[in-house]
Amino acid sequence: LKIEDTQPETHAFPWFGMDIGGTLVKLVYFEPVDITAEEEQEEVENLKSIRRYLTSNVAYGKTGVRDVHLELRNLTMCGRTGNLHFIRFPTQAMPRFIQMGRDKNFSSLHTTLCATGGGAYKFENDFRTMADLELLKLDELDCLIRGLLYIDRVGFNGHPECYYFQNPSDPNSCVKKPCNLDNHFPMLLVNIGSGVSILAVYSENNYKRVTGTSLGGGTFLGLCCLLTGCETFEEALEMASKGDSTNVDKLVKDIYGGDYERFGLQGSAVASSFGHMMCKEKRDSISKEDLARATLITITNNIGSIARMCAVNEKIERVVFVGNFLRINTVSTKLLAYAMDFWSKGQLRALFLEHEGYFGAVGALMELLKTSEDL
Amino acid sequence: MSHRAFPWFGMDIGGTLVKLVYFEPKDITAEEEQEEVESLRSIRHYLTSNTAYGTTGIRDVHLEMKDLSLCGRTGNLHFIRFPTHDLPVFMQMGRNKHFSSLHTTLCATGGGAYKFESDFRTMADLELHKLDELDCLVRGVLYIDSVITSGPSECYYFENPTDLDHSAQKPYTLENHYPLLLVNIGSGVSILAVYSENNYKRVTGTSLGGGTFLGLCCLLTGCSTFEEALEMASQGESTHVDKLVRDIYGGDYERFGLPGWTVASSFGSMMFKEKRESVSKEDLARATLVTITNNIGSITRMCALNENIERVVFVGNFLRVNILSMKLLAYAMDYWSNGQLKALFLRHEGYFGAVGALLGLLHPS
């Protein structure tokens, strides 16, 4: 029985799902829009205050952001109709968030706070001692899959959630195309957050974690900050968009003078990432933008290469990339689409999802509502 | 018995280093010596009486193979390296010593054999006989392993790799060693599955290799050489730079068997200004080494699994004087495969391509 079809007798509001990751906290909040006059009258003050605070702002404090463009409107969940909001803030601001929960007397609402991600374990005690809140801890990969399949099912305000690139190897005809994950099993799911997890998903309830890599979004941002002096993900991407990585990387043609034909390696392929940087003259001649670009390309191509090996190993043709490393990052998205297509000679297809890094939080919310089904 | 004219060289012109092997005959008869042309004698003396050449050339004396029998001659095999950057100086030397008048073929492999082919012709009037780098690598590995019968074993592994501080080097015999996964870590990385002497395939590669380690280190720490980078790395602490599983989970991620000390996000702590200001150059060098090494280990493991191969041989000059990476690789292979995979290493590390090129001169197929 799917969540969208269940009936009332549900969990008390507010309905939250939380994913406390290594870098970002992702929060989804269900704002009911079908509140009756009676309900409204009975609604306690702090619940109303939370609802107003979240829905009438798009920024919270200095670092909280509500991704309005991702809002799902008029969604039906457990017999209620409402809007699903997508909010994020740095995990570093967690103490502030917990403090807010305490100030707004969240614990008096007797609601369960479903949380996933490593932070659900790491901050469990802090929630208890600082805000008198009990977290219901859920596994991050269980939540990721559950959330992803749900959003794909309900769609994005009438549009498809999932997309791919047609002709990814041809910049002139490369075009974004919608698709649908339903009946797309098995699929390889690559979650690129601070680090990377790669899962082989056979059905909603049958998956395994194939492997992971520690060279993820956190590596890109950490290295960029060190190499260029930038401070945020957005700055790093901005710099990368203007740089030329071939000034930094040693290409096959720099070593061979052309292609390495025997093994099908084009001259333009990177032989050694950052390979030019051992030469002082080259170090003195490149820009911060070049370094940012090289860092982005290196991390992205490494993930693509590992994903491809897993796909071959597991005999899976569809590779779905999610996670906040891809947020506003079309360079990486297109590069992954190209890499999957090119290196597999068209056998593999890269798929992407609009709600990128929020699926864990959605999965946590669904677990909250599911437990109420059993009541 | 007629043989190829001396001098016998094998050359591997890589992305960062040129590797040169030179066979010094020790069984020269009085007659031969009298007929020996001046330029040949001069080359022999220059190479064997020095251990350093110019400002950057080095002869790895500890790797010299004495009393080797090759094509009916007996002699010593010398191992010499210099930066590819200094190839023009080398070519100039070849010109000054009238190498081209010796009418010997210069067998060369590596990308530079293609890239610098024209330069050798125009600057030193020398014709290169180009050979594929991976053919030479495989041929060289199998040859060296088979002829070393005395002295330290060419091939070795680390006993107790999970206890990094106490793991000891132990000799290993590669005989009947097929299939093998051969991981060549130079500027970049190539991974080969070797089924027999003449049957191998390039499985994959990665661009995050030795060149990446050195390039990033130079940028992050201000160092200039591989040796400096390794020295810094030996004194640093990578956990100050990386974000570990325990930094995110507060402990282990038990569900999927990830211990708290596993790196979740390399350089992941560096997005915070306070952390950036508190780490040392040594910490950064260490983190770079660990990141590159573990990434190679991870990719290697996936290939070994894919190809159903249990023995993995790591070669290439990234491992030269780099016991830290060797131990990390040995550990990673053992730990993540629950003891199924064994990491093997070879003493002549980055010279196999050059050896294979020399063999190409002597046994052209």
Side-chain angles (χ1 to χ4, degrees):
Chain A
L1 197 63
K2 297 205 157 67
I3 257 212
E4 41 280 39
D5 306 323
T6 51
Q7 287 310 300
E9 200 60 72
T10 53
H11 214 284
F13 285 126
W15 294 353
F16 279 113
M18 192 170 199
D19 176 359
I20 311 174
T23 305
L24 293 173
V25 179
K26 285 75 69 178
L27 190 67
V28 298
Y29 166 66
F30 180 86
E31 171 208 6
V33 296
D34 58 353
I35 299 182
T36 61
E38 191 189 329
E39 254 190 296
E40 184 125 33
Q41 233 171 2
E42 288 179 0
E43 199 181 31
V44 290
E45 190 48 42
N46 56 352
L47 179 56
K48 205 189 310 274
S49 147
I50 286 168
R51 184 156 50 80
R52 293 221 173 106
Y53 177 64
L54 291 178
T55 58
S56 47
N57 290 295
V58 294
Y60 313 97
K62 293 200 200 97
T63 56
V65 178
R66 178 158 65 95
D67 282 317
V68 180
H69 65 289
L70 292 181
E71 184 178 326
L72 294 182
R73 289 184 283 284
N74 297 319
L75 201 62
T76 300
M77 282 185 112
C78 272
R80 301 299 306 249
T81 305
N83 301 327
L84 196 59
H85 297 281
F86 297 85
I87 296 162
R88 58 182 157 87
F89 59 91
T91 305
Q92 251 201 330
M94 186 52 97
R96 175 97 188 79
F97 176 82
I98 299 177
Q99 184 66 36
M100 221 192 290
R102 175 199 175 106
D103 295 341
K104 292 202 182 296
N105 238 328
F106 199 92
S107 56
S108 71
L109 292 168
H110 301 296
T111 185
T112 315
L113 188 46
C114 279
T116 186
Y121 297 78
K122 181 176 177 181
F123 296 105
E124 186 179 23
N125 268 340
D126 293 332
F127 270 93
R128 204 176 278 138
T129 56
M130 285 171 66
D132 195 26
L133 278 168
E134 205 58 39
L135 294 185
L136 176 59
K137 300 189 304 290
L138 303 160
D139 178 75
E140 62 171 277
L141 300 181
D142 285 345
C143 289
L144 167 62
I145 292 171
R146 195 182 312 132
L148 188 156
L149 293 174
Y150 170 73
I151 299 285
D152 179 67
R153 260 199 323 269
V154 301
F156 187 4
N157 299 326
H159 302 291
E161 168 71 12
C162 181
Y163 64 94
Y164 67 99
F165 288 95
Q166 196 170 67
N167 302 323
S169 305
D170 181 359
N172 292 326
S173 62
C174 171
V175 63
K176 188 170 158 173
K177 288 272 190 188
C179 69
N180 190 277
L181 280 184
D182 217 25
N183 295 325
H184 267 32
F185 299 119
M187 67 170 113
L188 200 72
L189 184 53
V190 183
N191 185 27
I192 316 173
S194 309
V196 184
S197 276
I198 300 184
L199 323 182
V201 187
Y202 304 103
S203 75
E204 172 131 21
N205 299 305
N206 181 14
Y207 77 93
K208 69 174 181 184
R209 184 179 187 275
V210 177
T211 190
T213 170
S214 65
L215 281 76
T219 314
F220 164 65
L221 186 50
L223 270 177
C224 263
C225 291
L226 286 167
L227 293 171
T228 71
C230 73
E231 311 233 327
T232 69
F233 182 65
E234 287 78 2
E235 278 177 54
L237 284 185
E238 174 62 23
M239 284 186 161
S241 70
K242 299 192 198 133
D244 183 355
S245 57
T246 62
N247 293 336
V248 177
D249 295 334
K250 200 171 264 180
L251 309 183
V252 168
K253 72 182 177 216
D254 294 323
I255 301 179
Y256 271 80
D259 302 335
Y260 180 9
E261 288 168 16
R262 171 85 185 270
F263 292 99
L265 294 171
Q266 298 174 301
S268 57
V270 180
S272 179
S273 297
F274 287 85
H276 279 321
M277 298 293 91
M278 58 180 81
C279 295
K280 188 164 164 52
E281 317 86 63
K282 287 245 154 86
R283 285 199 297 279
D284 293 339
S285 74
I286 46 98
S287 66
K288 292 189 182 313
E289 287 75 12
D290 293 340
L291 289 174
R293 182 69 169 225
T295 309
L296 189 71
I297 301 292
T298 299
I299 298 300
T300 305
N301 276 336
N302 192 55
I303 292 169
S305 176
I306 291 170
R308 200 167 40 82
M309 271 185 273
C310 288
V312 169
N313 226 349
E314 303 293 323
K315 299 185 180 25
I316 295 178
E317 290 174 347
R318 274 173 303 269
V319 187
V320 183
F321 293 95
V322 297
N324 279 316
F325 173 64
L326 298 178
R327 186 177 72 81
I328 57 167
N329 186 0
T330 38
V331 173
S332 290
T333 304
K334 286 195 165 171
L335 193 50
L336 287 168
Y338 168 83
M340 290 304 104
D341 181 65
F342 183 79
W343 294 104
S344 74
K345 298 187 176 38
Q347 294 303 299
L348 297 179
R349 174 175 275 179
L351 304 175
F352 307 92
L353 300 166
E354 303 283 358
H355 285 80
E356 268 141 10
Y358 282 107
F359 301 110
V362 171
L365 170 65
M366 291 174 68
E367 189 61 28
L368 171 75
L369 301 179
K370 182 172 88 95
T371 22
S372 65
E373 277 170 52
D374 306 327
L375 290 171
Chain B
M1 179 190 199
S2 74
H3 63 81
R4 279 275 179 190
F6 285 128
W8 292 354
F9 278 114
M11 191 170 198
D12 176 0
I13 311 174
T16 304
L17 294 173
V18 177
K19 285 74 71 178
L20 190 67
V21 299
Y22 166 64
F23 180 82
E24 172 205 8
K26 295 299 275 180
D27 56 355
I28 300 181
T29 61
E31 192 188 327
E32 255 189 297
E33 184 127 32
Q34 233 172 359
E35 289 179 358
E36 198 181 32
V37 291
E38 188 47 42
S39 52
L40 181 55
R41 197 196 319 274
S42 148
I43 285 168
R44 187 153 50 78
H45 281 168
Y46 177 64
L47 291 178
T48 58
S49 47
N50 290 296
T51 54
Y53 313 97
T55 46
T56 57
I58 304 226
R59 179 158 63 95
D60 282 315
V61 181
H62 66 290
L63 293 180
E64 183 177 328
M65 287 167 64
K66 292 191 174 31
D67 302 322
L68 189 68
S69 270
L70 198 54
C71 268
R73 300 301 302 250
T74 305
N76 301 331
L77 197 58
H78 298 281
F79 296 85
I80 296 161
R81 57 182 158 89
F82 59 91
T84 305
H85 188 259
D86 295 333
L87 200 57
V89 177
F90 176 83
M91 283 190 265
Q92 187 65 35
M93 221 191 291
R95 177 196 175 110
N96 295 344
K97 292 202 184 293
H98 300 293
F99 200 89
S100 55
S101 70
L102 291 168
H103 301 297
T104 185
T105 315
L106 188 46
C107 276
T109 188
Y114 296 79
K115 181 175 177 183
F116 298 105
E117 185 179 21
S118 273
D119 293 331
F120 270 94
R121 208 175 277 138
T122 56
M123 284 174 68
D125 196 25
L126 278 167
E127 204 59 39
L128 293 185
H129 180 53
K130 301 188 303 288
L131 300 162
D132 177 75
E133 64 169 278
L134 300 182
D135 285 345
C136 288
L137 169 65
V138 175
R139 196 181 318 134
V141 168
L142 299 178
Y143 172 75
I144 294 286
D145 182 69
S146 70
V147 300
I148 297 235
T149 49
S150 65
S153 170
E154 176 67 14
C155 182
Y156 62 94
Y157 68 100
F158 287 91
E159 201 176 40
N160 300 323
T162 40
D163 181 3
L164 277 187
D165 293 326
H166 299 107
S167 61
Q169 280 187 30
K170 292 276 180 183
Y172 187 88
T173 320
L174 267 190
E175 231 177 75
N176 295 324
H177 29 42
Y178 303 117
L180 273 184
L181 202 68
L182 186 55
V183 182
N184 186 27
I185 316 174
S187 308
V189 185
S190 277
I191 301 183
L192 321 181
V194 185
Y195 303 104
S196 74
E197 171 127 22
N198 300 306
N199 181 13
Y200 77 90
K201 69 173 183 183
R202 184 180 187 276
V203 177
T204 190
T206 171
S207 65
L208 280 77
T212 313
F213 164 65
L214 186 51
L216 271 177
C217 263
C218 292
L219 286 166
L220 293 171
T221 72
C223 74
S224 314
T225 69
F226 182 65
E227 289 77 2
E228 278 176 54
L230 284 185
E231 174 62 24
M232 284 187 162
S234 70
Q235 291 164 20
E237 182 58 64
S238 56
T239 58
H240 295 163
V241 177
D242 295 333
K243 198 174 269 179
L244 310 183
V245 166
R246 68 174 178 236
D247 295 326
I248 302 180
Y249 270 80
D252 303 333
Y253 181 7
E254 287 167 17
R255 171 86 184 270
F256 291 100
L258 295 173
W261 49 256
T262 312
V263 180
S265 179
S266 298
F267 288 85
S269 290
M270 298 293 91
M271 59 180 78
F272 302 115
K273 198 168 161 56
E274 323 84 65
K275 286 249 153 90
R276 286 199 296 280
E277 286 168 357
S278 74
V279 298
S280 65
K281 291 191 182 314
E282 288 76 12
D283 293 338
L284 291 174
R286 181 67 164 237
T288 308
L289 187 78
V290 170
T291 299
I292 296 301
T293 304
N294 281 337
N295 192 55
I296 292 168
S298 177
I299 289 170
T300 298
R301 207 167 35 84
M302 272 186 272
C303 287
L305 199 65
N306 221 353
E307 302 294 322
N308 271 317
I309 295 177
E310 290 175 349
R311 273 175 308 267
V312 185
V313 183
F314 293 96
V315 297
N317 278 316
F318 172 64
L319 298 178
R320 187 179 70 80
V321 298
N322 186 1
I323 202 154
L324 185 50
S325 286
M326 284 195 274
K327 284 188 168 182
L328 279 173
L329 287 168
Y331 176 87
M333 289 303 105
D334 185 70
Y335 183 85
W336 295 107
S337 75
N338 291 321
Q340 295 303 299
L341 296 181
K342 198 180 200 81
L344 303 170
F345 305 91
L346 301 172
R347 287 186 65 241
H348 285 82
E349 266 142 11
Y351 282 107
F352 300 108
V355 171
L358 172 64
L359 294 173
L361 171 73
L362 302 175
H363 307 289
S365 40

